[in-house]
């Protein structure tokens, strides 16, 4: 699946491309790089924070597939493809895993081919949609995922792009209500609690570029998990969340990165 990049797409910064820049990707435009470089000036840990967040995604997905036998994933706010993508992590453990991706940046769709290289036993699909229309995403996902069996919903580094007026907690509830018992929620979310000054500066830089960030506290982020069973260690900084699961060539040692550098809460919960 290859789509044309829509005309005029690079004129305004977008969160997906800022994140791509911080991860060292090349799928970003001058307008994105301008805000990204200024963000680094204001919060020099932004690249570390992005990589810590991505490493959380790898650990939590590997854990779900390997240790919980999870074979279905609904990933919203997927981001520009960056290997390994979620399905590659899941299918390394469960070759038959089925993954539906969704994002609202048209540039992700233009690169969706990299999300479609599923194992023959498994399946991947992509829908360009906004998380503020959860029913559109659920409707599409039903053609690939079996909603009578557990599904892991991953919304990693997504909900800080939704202000209160978008009713972010209600959106998670809507999505989790559609999934059966045994389903999981993997979520990460930026916070100002570890480095209030640095994070406020990055919020201001993003806002000046037209990208709104809503940071939330530990207590507020816990609200996303209401009615679900949060697993150990609960809500933790991405850099501290289950480092024992890291099987990468260069393991991350406890304390190597501080919460002030990573700036993001992370958690995993199951639906009872
Ligand atoms: C920081 S990236 C995270 C990417 C990936 N989940 C990860 O953690 O590696 C946030 C993604 O959310 C997407 N996004 C932001 N607002 C969105 C919305 N309202 N609906 C759907 N996707 C959105 C952006 O396009 C971007 O790809």
């Amino acid at each position: 699946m290859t789509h044309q990049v829509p005309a005029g797409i690079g004129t305004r910064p977008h969160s997906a491309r800022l994140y791509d820049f911080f991860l060292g990707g090349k799928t970003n435009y001058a307008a994105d790089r301008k805000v990204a470089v200024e963000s680094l000036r204001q919060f020099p840990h932004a690249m570390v924070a992005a990589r810590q967040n991505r490493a959380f995604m790898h650990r939590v997905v590997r854990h779900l597939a390997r240790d919980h036998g999870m074979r279905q994933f609904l990933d919203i706010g997927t981001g520009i493809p960056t290997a390994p993508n979620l399905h590659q992590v899941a299918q390394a453990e469960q070759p038959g895993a089925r993954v539906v991706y969704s994002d609202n940046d048209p540039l992700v769709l233009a690169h969706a081919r990299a999300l479609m290289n599923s194992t023959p036993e498994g399946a991947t699909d992509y829908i360009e949609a906004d998380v503020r229309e959860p029913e559109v995403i659920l409707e599409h996902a039903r053609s690939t995922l079996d909603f009578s069996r557990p599904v892991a919903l991953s919304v990693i580094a997504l909900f800080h792009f939704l202000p209160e007026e978008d009713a972010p907690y209600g959106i998670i509830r809507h999505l989790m209500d559609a999934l059966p018992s045994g389903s999981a929620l993997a979520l990460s979310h930026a916070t100002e609690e570890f480095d209030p000054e640095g994070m406020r500066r990055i919020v201001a830089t993003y806002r000046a570029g037209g990208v709104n960030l809503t940071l939330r506290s530990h207590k507020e982020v816990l609200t996303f998990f209401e009615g679900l069973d949060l697993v150990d260690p609960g809500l933790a900084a991405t850099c501290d969340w289950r480092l024992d699961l890291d099987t990468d060539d260069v393991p991350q040692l406890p304390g190597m990165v501080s919460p002030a550098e990573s700036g993001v809460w992370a958690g995993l919960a199951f639906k009872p």
Side-chain angles (χ1 to χ4, degrees):
M1 188 201 288
T2 311
H3 289 257
Q4 295 258 304
V5 175
I9 193 175
T11 53
R12 295 186 53 198
H14 191 285
S15 55
R17 292 164 243 150
L18 292 168
Y19 185 66
D20 177 74
F21 177 91
F22 293 137
L23 287 179
K26 297 207 166 17
T27 313
N28 47 69
Y29 297 95
D32 305 306
R33 291 190 287 275
K34 189 163 170 249
V35 172
V37 168
E38 182 55 24
S39 301
L40 277 171
R41 211 169 277 138
Q42 300 300 336
F43 182 72
H45 309 305
M47 285 180 151
V48 174
R51 285 170 167 78
Q52 288 296 314
N53 180 70
R54 193 75 184 172
F56 164 69
M57 186 276 271
H58 295 167
R59 289 200 297 279
V60 75
V61 169
R62 189 184 301 132
H63 175 52
L64 282 164
R66 183 185 60 201
D67 306 326
H68 292 275
M70 191 64 77
R71 291 165 57 89
Q72 303 196 96
F73 293 82
L74 175 56
D75 181 55
I76 308 180
T78 295
I80 289 160
T82 305
N85 294 291
L86 188 150
H87 73 281
Q88 291 159 322
V89 178
Q91 291 180 344
E93 305 296 336
Q94 296 277 352
R98 304 176 76 80
V99 178
V100 174
Y101 289 112
S102 181
D103 203 286
N104 76 343
D105 181 0
L107 198 57
V108 178
L109 178 63
H111 291 269
R113 190 209 293 261
L115 303 172
M116 295 303 158
N117 56 355
S118 170
T119 55
E121 310 92 302
T124 60
D125 196 9
Y126 181 83
I127 174 176
E128 183 182 317
D130 196 298
V131 70
R132 289 169 293 191
E133 293 185 316
E135 203 48 51
V136 173
I137 297 173
L138 289 170
E139 205 38 55
H140 184 93
R142 279 191 182 94
S143 55
T144 302
L145 306 179
D146 174 0
F147 278 21
S148 69
R149 304 179 71 84
V151 175
L153 170 66
S154 67
V155 283
I156 300 186
L158 169 63
F159 273 83
H160 44 237
F161 297 111
L162 268 66
E164 295 309 307
E165 48 278 26
D166 286 335
Y169 304 115
I171 293 173
I172 289 285
R173 222 157 291 137
H174 187 125
L175 290 164
M176 289 308 294
D177 280 352
L179 308 179
S181 165
S183 293
L185 172 64
L187 178 145
S188 71
H189 195 295
T191 184
E192 63 182 3
E193 283 170 309
F194 304 130
D195 177 3
E197 265 317 299
M199 291 305 278
R200 264 178 227 137
R201 285 199 302 270
I202 212 168
V203 168
T205 308
Y206 268 47
R207 190 160 294 154
V211 179
N212 283 320
L213 261 182
T214 302
L215 305 177
R216 293 190 172 90
S217 66
H218 188 269
K219 191 166 168 240
E220 288 167 324
V221 178
L222 274 182
T223 309
F224 287 109
F225 293 96
E226 247 169 38
L228 306 174
D229 298 332
L230 199 60
V231 301
D232 280 348
L235 202 54
T238 45
C239 61
D240 292 334
W241 194 90
R242 295 290 313 263
L243 294 184
D244 58 300
L245 294 169
D246 220 333
T247 57
D248 292 331
D249 289 346
V250 185
Q252 189 180 316
L253 302 173
M256 216 162 87
V257 177
S258 73
E261 292 166 293
S262 55
V264 173
W265 288 119
L268 170 67
F270 287 90
K271 184 168 174 174

